[in-house]
């Protein structure tokens, strides 16, 4: 699974950029239609905690989703997982 | 079921300002409630008045948004009328410690079986940033423009002295610890009090040197000290800096409680 930000809920506070050990979230650059600068996801497939959720059958880490005051962060299934080389970061 | 099912999707996004810590504490509370395996029909959220007290309005259970300071009085009524219900109270620092101060100490004394989550932003958020009983010494607000000259209430100390069965404090930065503390509070029979310091960027942060939301979160991160560590330091005669936030579990005990399910 990988993360997604719900643009309809995000208010652009950037707290997610602060907590992630993988630095998946980067402050956004452009304001959206509502005038909110939504953070950008930098290769969310890098997060091992997200990838291994199904295997462990529970939420691993998930700090980004918990700290988001606007309930805007959630996980989605990888649609047709293309085999891709992922550099493991420790 | 997941946490998302506890939210009233049609009411989101909520009215809290960008970066307000209240939303984070809602996440932690719902996660703890979800882990308890409670049913929505058997859970009631109660609150008073304030930004923080808007929280139950976004939760898909029965809830009571009561008058300012009286959340605990209403919650006591619900619990005594129907002890089968699980009750969680959301309250602000002004709501709980200023206008609702008496209800607070007596709910602790009665040790009624509720869990109270206090979202302490150290200010009256909703009414435009007046000082509250928890505004720290020197804290700027519209009613303390030269810095508050009064000592602040230690809500956890108050709850402990008044007789609550479980007392803990964390901040909106410590999401995992806070969730665990709320979960312990929910499990524990009797009055459980979990205080969470939260950032209020609009009314507290911008007046008190926290220009960005992240600045206050960084402050929470760097200025918390575990209760156990503080005790060790005191034993050794070391000074604990006065601006440190004591975090962790203060008491867990088994005084006789009111309203516990037979
Ligand atoms: C009886 C009564 N007195 C005063 C008010 C005005 N009032 C509304 S919210 C509030 C302060 C709320 O502060 P707090 O409980 O800290 O919540 P926050 O908004 O900071 O989350 C006050 C004084 C009121 N609604 N009712
Ligand atoms: S789950 Fe943890 S590691 Fe993964 S993106 Fe979120 S904060 Fe980062
Ligand atoms: S005024 Fe403060 S407490 Fe109220 S919603 Fe805004 S940031 Fe949150």
């Amino acid at each position: 699974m990988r993360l997604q930000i719900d643009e309809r809920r995000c208010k652009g506070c950037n707290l997610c950029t602060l907590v992630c050990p993988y630095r998946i979230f980067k402050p956004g650059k452009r304001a959206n239609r509502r005038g909110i600068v939504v953070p950008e996801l930098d290769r969310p497939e890098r997060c091992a905690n997200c990838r291994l959720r199904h295997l462990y059958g529970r939420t691993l880490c998930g700090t980004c989703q918990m700290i988001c005051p606007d309930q805007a962060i959630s996980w989605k299934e990888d649609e047709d997982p293309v085999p891709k080389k992922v550099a493991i970061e420790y | 079921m997941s946490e998302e099912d506890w939210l009233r999707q049609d009411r989101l996004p909520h009215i809290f300002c960008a970066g307000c810590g209240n939303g984070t504490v809602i996440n932690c509370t719902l996660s703890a409630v979800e882990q308890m395996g409670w049913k929505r029909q058997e859970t009631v959220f109660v609150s008073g008045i304030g930004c923080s007290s808007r929280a139950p309005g976004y939760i898909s259970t029965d809830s009571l948004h009561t008058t300012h300071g009286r959340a605990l009085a209403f919650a006591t009524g619900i619990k005594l009328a129907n002890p089968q219900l699980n009750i969680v109270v959301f309250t602000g620092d002004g709501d709980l410690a200023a206008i609702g101060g008496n209800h607070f100490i007596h709910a602790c004394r009665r040790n009624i079986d509720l869990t109270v989550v206090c979202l302490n932003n150290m200010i009256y958020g909703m009414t435009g940033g007046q000082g509250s009983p928890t505004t720290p010494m020197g804290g700027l607000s519209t009613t303390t423009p030269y810095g508050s000259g009064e000592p602040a209430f230690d809500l956890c100390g108050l709850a402990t002295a008044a007789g609550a069965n479980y007392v803990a404090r964390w901040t909106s930065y410590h999401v995992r610890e806070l969730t665990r503390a709320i979960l312990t509070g929910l499990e524990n029979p009797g009055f459980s009090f979990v205080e969470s310091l939260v950032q209020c960027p609009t009314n507290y942060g911008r007046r008190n040197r926290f220009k960005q939301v992240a600045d206050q979160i960084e402050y929470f991160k760097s200025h918390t000290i575990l209760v156990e560590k503080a005790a060790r330091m005191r034993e050794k005669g070391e000074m604990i800096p006065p601006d440190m936030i004591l975090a962790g579990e203060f008491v867990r005990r088994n005084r006789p409680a009111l309203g516990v399910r037979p």
Side-chain angles (χ1 to χ4, degrees):
Chain A
M1 292 182 109
R2 70 173 64 172
L3 288 156
Q4 59 182 358
I5 297 183
D6 186 342
E7 292 227 1
R8 293 165 308 173
R9 290 190 186 170
C10 176
K11 293 181 189 148
C13 71
N14 279 340
L15 285 185
C16 48
T17 64
L18 208 71
V19 294
C20 177
Y22 288 92
R23 306 214 171 276
I24 300 274
F25 300 88
K26 291 257 163 19
K29 292 189 195 77
R30 240 174 303 116
N32 66 8
R33 216 158 38 82
R34 289 162 56 226
I36 287 165
V37 186
V38 176
E40 286 163 10
L41 292 161
D42 175 17
R43 293 162 291 147
E45 65 277 10
R46 283 186 300 138
C47 173
N49 294 315
C50 299
R51 289 204 310 274
L52 298 177
R53 269 165 69 88
H54 277 323
L55 189 66
Y56 282 79
R58 63 185 169 88
T59 309
L60 306 166
C61 184
T63 310
C64 47
Q65 185 248 348
M66 282 293 257
I67 205 160
C68 174
D70 294 285
Q71 292 80 34
I73 297 179
S74 58
W75 286 272
K76 64 171 178 208
E77 288 302 336
D78 293 304
E79 62 282 312
D80 81 274
V82 234
K84 189 161 127 193
K85 205 167 169 191
V86 185
I88 308 279
E89 295 178 22
Y90 297 98
Chain B
M1 245 171 68
S2 77
E3 268 164 69
E4 197 69 12
D5 299 321
W6 288 86
L7 289 167
R8 287 171 74 171
Q9 314 277 345
D10 55 325
R11 291 297 177 102
L12 295 173
H14 48 55
I15 55 146
F16 303 140
C17 310
C20 173
N22 292 348
T24 305
V25 181
I26 295 179
N27 293 344
C28 297
T29 310
L30 291 182
S31 167
V33 167
E34 168 73 17
Q35 287 175 50
M36 285 298 285
W38 286 352
K39 292 204 188 73
R40 271 187 286 182
Q41 304 87 294
E42 293 168 359
T43 309
V44 183
F45 288 87
V46 186
S47 68
I49 297 291
C51 297
S52 40
S53 295
R54 304 271 314 201
Y58 302 106
I59 301 175
S60 62
T61 64
D62 284 339
S63 62
L64 227 56
H65 189 189
T66 72
T67 49
H68 197 24
R70 312 291 177 239
L72 284 171
F74 283 85
T76 305
I78 303 171
K79 190 68 191 179
L80 292 187
N82 187 356
Q84 300 304 325
L85 294 173
N86 304 309
I87 297 168
V88 181
V89 178
F90 282 115
T91 180
D93 49 313
D95 196 52
L96 184 82
I99 191 167
N102 243 307
H103 292 296
F104 178 41
I105 54 176
H106 289 285
C108 293
R109 172 182 63 82
R110 293 183 180 123
N111 205 9
I112 174 136
D113 189 21
L114 312 167
T115 300
V116 176
V117 180
C118 177
L119 301 95
N120 179 1
N121 52 14
M122 300 166 277
I123 206 139
Y124 286 181
M126 180 168 266
T127 43
Q130 294 82 2
S132 88
T134 53
T135 305
M137 272 283 213
L140 299 181
S141 69
T142 53
T143 48
T144 57
Y146 306 109
S148 171
E150 307 165 0
F153 249 147
D154 171 3
L155 298 180
C156 287
L158 193 61
T160 306
N165 253 359
Y166 178 77
V167 181
R169 177 192 289 129
W170 287 103
T171 77
S172 51
Y173 168 73
H174 301 91
V175 283
R176 307 199 128 238
E177 294 86 346
L178 178 63
T179 307
R180 214 177 310 125
I182 297 174
L183 184 63
T184 314
L186 298 176
E187 284 167 348
N188 213 48
F191 194 89
S192 304
F193 178 69
V194 181
E195 176 186 0
S196 172
L197 294 181
V198 290
Q199 70 277 19
C200 166
T202 305
N203 278 318
Y204 189 83
R206 75 191 164 96
R207 289 198 178 89
N208 290 280
R209 308 178 315 281
F210 303 119
K211 286 237 158 50
Q212 302 291 325
V213 180
D215 297 344
Q216 199 167 357
I217 288 287
E218 289 285 357
Y219 181 87
F220 286 155
K221 183 177 168 186
S222 58
H223 284 72
T224 36
I225 172 170
L226 271 179
V227 190
E228 292 81 7
K229 184 172 177 201
R232 278 199 302 275
M233 283 172 72
R234 247 182 251 116
E235 256 171 41
K236 281 193 232 148
E238 289 169 34
M239 262 285 287
I240 301 164
D243 59 346
M244 283 308 236
I245 303 161
L246 279 186
E249 189 177 301
F250 291 83
V251 259
R252 193 192 305 198
R253 59 189 166 195
N254 234 328
R255 284 182 63 242
L258 192 68
V260 177
R261 252 166 294 205

